[in-house]
Amino acid sequence: MPNRSYLFVAVAFSLLTATNACAQEAPPPTASEWGGVGLLQTPTARMAEDGDFAFTASHNSPYSRYNVTMQPFSWLESSFRYINVSNLRYGVPEVSGDQNYKDKSIDFKIRLLAESRWIPQVAFGVRDVGGTGLFSSEYLVASKRFGRFDASLGFATGYIGNRGDFSNPLSIIDDRFESRPVPTSAIVNAGKFGADAMFRGRVGVFGGVSYQTVWDSLIVKVEYDGNDYKNEPRGSNLRQTTPLNFGLVFVPNKNVELTAAWERGDAAMFSIALRGNPGHASPSPKPFDPPPARIEHKTAPTPDQSDDKEAKWAEVSTKLRSDAAFRVTKISERDGELLVSGYQTRFTNSAKSLGRVSRVLSSELGDSYDWHSVRTERLGLPIVDSSIRRESLEKYIEGTLEQSTLKRSTAISAPDTNPVRDVYAPKVRKFGGGFNVGYRQNIGGPDGFILYQIAANYSATYFLTPGFWLTGTASQDLLNNYNKFKYDAPSFLPKVRTDLRQYTTTSDLTLPNLQLNVTRRLGRDLYSIAYAGYLEWMFAGVGGEILYRPVGEPWALGANLNWVKQRDYDQHFGLRDYSVTTGHATLYYSFDRQERVIASLSAGRYLAGDYGATLNIARVFPNGMTMGAFASKTNVSSRDFGEGSFDKGIYFSIPLDNVLPRSTGARATITWNPLIRDGAAMLARKYQLYNLTGERDTRYFYENIDQIDD
């Protein structure tokens, strides 16, 4: 090892093992130019708060990096990025023109030890997993605070440790760890996990310190880079006159980080990081929501005691729709309980919905009923009964009842079949429809960095009965550059998804969906749906799904089976020759009582006829924010699958209710899927029973019970 590396390790070790003699004034975690929390080029063991979300853009010639980083747990950081390499071209000029090469990759970092007085925080991470491997690296890093300093020391194989300060200790076990395969951007390697190269090659030392200046908004970073830039992608090596990098980070507020640095001894680096914490964001004020009904203590006659009971119940139903956004399908009573059946149209929080309904009933009916119950229905299916003791809610609103006592006055149960007396049923609303804007995109391909389509959609639904309906969508193309999509990557599978250009450019006016549906509750916890028609924009056919989901249980079991045929490219009524039987059995499970994780494992046959499984894991925060990842592996070889080797991606979904001035159930969901491939492609079913029965997860109700009086 060079002398300067020994010196750096000695200094860093002394800092890491130093005790905290002064107050904890170390700088907060800030982004590296690779997106994750770190110094400049190198990571640290620090993590952002769980629920954190950041976008970082950096430039250090010849690399421009665009990173999205998510912190689903306090111990796990994940990032995905695109790197624009200005001194390399993408590939075939006939396809990509003069577009610079774009590399895409995923990182993760796991905290192994939390910092204590004597022990540094320790983390293990992998960079560029599931990409081409051009920037792949594995590392172990420790960080320790003392005063205004935060020092880090790490060891890496691969890109971060390319200097190779000492031989790999794992070579004692196997000689293959002595050297690391040279990564290439060849299609055959793209998308693989790169396990064959992991932990191989010489080990490089990296680390440094960040210093919190007396000015709270300014942080100084000094870094010892473990890379000597003599093994850059495709031999485009860079000059480095010193391994020391220096940077200044300006943090004007908690949402913005601006970094300027001098790296490699002859290169400037600039970056901007925009971050927030949607996972723990409180709902925004709702000035455009109607105020909750005011409860007046009175003894009011029931509608049945009034001269026009139908008109009185209609008035109650209208108030429920206006003040509680609850559309009534039926009102019943039994033994001092009023049961209101229907569905929520605005409030995603089921506790808030129950509270608003109960307040309207108390305001309109006084103390006529001891219990108020809401039966949530969706597409003709009774999902769950939510009940609350009227007097307990009134006392809670007055501030004379504790929340713990209020919880004992609520009940969440499966809809029962006990006899009730129906007192009111409004006229059924059979037709509904509306306009919306549709957006589709693919990022990072050789044809163009962003391929997109913007369309004006009109969707409509007509109910013949509550559980039997016709639905469809017509779409008019507005803006579209998918005519550039030429490179669909070689594949030996039926083209069930990669005919993307043909489906998006053949016709301006399309019919993405037109299907007939029927639902039925087969048992207390068993649901079913059947459907037929033009099920999605590329396939038509028939199919069905069943789901077993007990109320309050963390698990559910489902299965779907479909026979489908490929649609014509114009997305009208014609069909192509290709057909397939596809379907999956799925196990859903909700883990961890403190940090809710919902996982699903689906096994079965995909659209291209391949067999395999898809694993989906998501962290769901109490406010509904979701961060997740998925991966599929089928019986198709990497060669037959083509570029990407297997299907994978990450996604996040933000409830718009957290940011808009009026309550809404709409969500903004962004999925990053590196490549569109034919393998592991599922049918895009319009309705999925697990999503339709979400209120059966009682934890979400009780996590948000504090909003029951909102």
Side-chain angles (χ1 to χ4, degrees):
M1 181 190 300
N3 291 334
R4 61 189 177 190
S5 296
Y6 282 120
L7 179 61
F8 172 77
V9 172
V11 173
F13 182 77
S14 66
L15 294 177
L16 288 171
T17 55
T19 58
N20 293 333
C22 51
Q24 290 286 341
E25 298 176 352
T30 53
S32 72
E33 59 190 276
W34 292 80
V37 172
L39 291 168
L40 299 169
Q41 282 283 336
T42 63
T44 66
R46 300 300 175 201
M47 301 273 184
E49 295 181 355
D50 68 319
D52 190 84
F53 180 90
F55 170 77
T56 305
S58 67
H59 178 73
N60 180 350
S61 184
Y63 303 122
S64 296
R65 301 179 178 92
Y66 306 95
N67 317 278
V68 171
T69 301
M70 298 184 291
Q71 190 81 35
F73 305 96
S74 60
W75 50 268
L76 176 64
E77 172 190 277
S78 61
S79 302
F80 69 91
R81 79 176 54 81
Y82 284 94
I83 303 179
N84 180 77
V85 186
S86 62
N87 61 352
L88 296 176
R89 293 296 173 261
Y90 212 121
V92 181
E94 290 77 10
V95 174
S96 57
D98 61 354
Q99 184 186 177
N100 293 336
Y101 176 72
K102 307 294 191 301
D103 190 80
K104 42 190 172 283
S105 59
I106 299 174
D107 301 354
F108 68 84
K109 181 170 67 177
I110 299 173
R111 188 186 66 207
L112 303 179
L113 290 175
E115 183 177 11
S116 65
R117 178 175 178 83
W118 298 102
I119 299 175
Q121 185 155 301
V122 179
F124 164 75
V126 177
R127 180 178 289 177
D128 191 4
V129 60
T132 59
L134 294 178
F135 302 95
S136 64
S137 193
E138 307 79 43
Y139 61 88
L140 187 69
V141 62
S143 298
K144 190 77 173 71
R145 295 186 178 99
F146 62 103
R148 293 181 178 272
F149 291 88
D150 191 0
S152 295
L153 173 65
F155 304 92
T157 51
Y159 190 81
I160 299 175
N162 263 345
R163 174 171 289 103
D165 295 302
F166 56 88
S167 59
N168 195 324
L170 295 177
S171 60
I172 299 174
I173 302 173
D174 194 320
D175 291 344
R176 70 185 184 91
F177 288 107
E178 292 181 356
S179 61
R180 189 180 185 94
V182 177
T184 71
S185 56
I187 290 174
V188 69
N189 294 322
K192 294 183 178 180
F193 272 122
D196 290 343
M198 281 186 174
F199 310 108
R200 294 177 62 179
R202 292 179 63 84
V203 178
V205 179
F206 67 90
V209 296
S210 57
Y211 172 73
Q212 176 64 64
T213 67
V214 293
W215 186 20
D216 290 343
S217 298
L218 185 63
I219 297 169
V220 177
K221 292 183 176 181
V222 180
E223 173 186 72
Y224 181 83
D225 198 341
N227 189 0
D228 60 6
Y229 301 93
K230 294 180 180 179
N231 296 281
E232 293 302 286
R234 297 186 186 175
S236 299
N237 298 333
L238 305 175
R239 191 169 74 98
Q240 181 191 63
T241 61
T242 175
L244 295 178
N245 300 328
F246 305 89
L248 296 175
V249 183
F250 177 59
V251 187
N253 57 59
K254 65 179 181 179
N255 303 116
V256 180
E257 300 167 13
L258 303 172
T259 303
W262 187 250
E263 299 181 355
R264 305 195 305 266
D266 69 347
M269 188 281 292
F270 301 95
S271 74
I272 179 171
L274 305 176
R275 68 170 66 248
N277 196 309
H280 292 291
S282 300
S284 63
K286 298 291 186 286
F288 298 116
D289 277 359
R294 182 179 177 183
I295 298 177
E296 298 180 4
H297 293 284
K298 61 183 179 181
T299 302
T302 66
D304 287 349
Q305 297 170 337
S306 65
D307 295 335
D308 189 350
K309 63 180 181 180
E310 185 75 14
K312 179 59 179 177
W313 281 118
E315 181 181 336
V316 173
S317 177
T318 300
K319 289 288 289 182
L320 286 170
R321 186 166 64 252
S322 62
D323 291 3
F326 194 85
R327 188 172 291 275
V328 174
T329 58
K330 186 171 63 174
I331 299 177
S332 312
E333 63 179 19
R334 62 184 175 194
D335 300 330
E337 175 190 9
L338 189 68
L339 176 63
V340 181
S341 301
Y343 56 93
Q344 180 58 239
T345 63
R346 182 181 304 159
F347 302 118
T348 58
N349 186 322
S350 54
K352 183 175 182 177
S353 175
L354 176 61
R356 287 229 169 191
V357 169
S358 183
R359 288 172 73 127
V360 169
L361 298 179
S362 291
S363 175
E364 296 296 314
L365 306 176
D367 58 2
S368 302
Y369 299 94
D370 296 327
W371 283 84
H372 295 156
S373 296
V374 171
R375 175 164 292 175
T376 299
E377 298 178 338
R378 191 166 290 113
L379 300 178
L381 296 173
I383 307 301
V384 74
D385 286 357
S386 307
S387 305
I388 190 166
R389 185 184 294 275
R390 172 191 53 79
E391 186 179 9
S392 297
L393 178 61
E394 292 175 358
K395 289 182 178 180
Y396 180 74
I397 293 171
E398 293 171 352
T400 60
L401 188 73
E402 296 293 329
Q403 189 178 106
S404 58
T405 305
L406 177 71
K407 287 182 178 180
R408 293 194 293 271
S409 299
T410 63
I412 310 295
S413 60
D416 57 45
T417 56
N418 295 334
V420 296
R421 186 173 76 90
D422 295 338
V423 296
Y424 177 71
K427 184 178 179 180
V428 176
R429 183 187 181 194
K430 292 189 175 183
F431 180 81
F435 288 94
N436 63 78
V437 176
Y439 179 73
R440 176 182 289 113
Q441 71 175 23
N442 292 90
I443 300 177
D447 313 276
F449 185 63
I450 298 179
L451 299 177
Y452 63 88
Q453 180 186 43
I454 301 174
N457 300 331
Y458 181 78
S459 299
T461 301
Y462 183 79
F463 284 89
L464 290 87
T465 68
F468 185 38
W469 73 100
L470 178 69
T471 185
T473 299
S475 181
Q476 173 63 46
D477 183 67
L478 299 178
L479 292 173
N480 187 334
N481 71 344
Y482 272 97
N483 60 301
K484 296 181 180 180
F485 187 81
K486 302 173 184 176
Y487 177 71
D488 55 11
S491 170
F492 294 90
L493 297 174
K495 296 174 73 65
V496 297
R497 289 301 185 206
T498 52
D499 278 341
L500 198 62
R501 176 175 56 82
Q502 292 90 326
Y503 278 102
T504 51
T505 62
T506 299
S507 176
D508 289 337
L509 181 62
T510 62
L511 188 69
N513 173 253
L514 180 64
Q515 65 183 73
L516 193 64
N517 315 271
V518 59
T519 57
R520 178 167 296 180
R521 186 186 183 201
L522 302 177
R524 174 185 172 88
D525 302 310
L526 187 62
Y527 296 92
S528 68
I529 181 172
Y531 39 82
Y534 298 90
L535 305 180
E536 51 142 287
W537 63 317
M538 293 186 182
F539 285 91
V542 297
E545 181 189 11
I546 59 172
L547 176 75
Y548 181 73
R549 186 176 189 178
V551 171
E553 294 295 332
W555 59 274
L557 286 172
N560 69 85
L561 184 64
N562 315 274
W563 179 86
V564 294
K565 196 167 187 179
Q566 201 163 31
R567 298 180 62 181
D568 278 349
Y569 293 141
D570 60 11
Q571 295 181 61
H572 292 166
F573 296 100
L575 300 174
R576 295 168 61 81
D577 293 335
Y578 180 77
S579 64
V580 66
T581 299
T582 178
H584 292 79
T586 303
L587 168 66
Y588 304 90
Y589 200 90
S590 180
F591 294 89
D592 198 326
R593 304 303 298 181
Q594 299 300 319
E595 298 178 331
R596 184 160 51 138
V597 178
I598 296 180
S600 65
L601 179 63
S602 300
R605 194 184 194 203
Y606 297 85
L607 286 172
D610 47 333
Y611 292 87
T614 297
L615 177 64
N616 189 321
I617 300 177
R619 166 76 195 278
V620 182
F621 292 86
N623 64 4
M625 169 68 183
T626 302
M627 299 178 179
F630 62 88
S632 301
K633 186 63 178 174
T634 72
N635 61 338
V636 174
S637 68
S638 296
R639 173 185 173 274
D640 289 345
F641 187 94
E643 183 176 358
S645 302
F646 64 96
D647 190 50
K648 66 274 188 183
I650 59 179
Y651 61 91
F652 58 93
S653 180
I654 302 176
L656 296 183
D657 188 62
N658 292 343
V659 296
L660 296 181
R662 182 174 181 175
S663 294
T664 176
R667 304 179 71 90
T669 301
I670 296 178
T671 300
W672 183 74
N673 196 200
L675 290 167
I676 301 299
R677 306 303 301 131
D678 296 311
M682 285 186 175
L683 181 69
R685 293 178 293 122
K686 185 178 181 70
Y687 303 106
Q688 298 189 35
L689 290 174
Y690 189 81
N691 296 333
L692 294 177
T693 57
E695 287 84 0
R696 290 199 151 219
D697 183 351
T698 59
R699 190 191 332 180
Y700 186 71
F701 178 93
Y702 288 110
E703 283 178 342
N704 294 278
I705 198 170
D706 58 320
Q707 296 184 41
I708 200 168
D709 62 341
D710 187 2

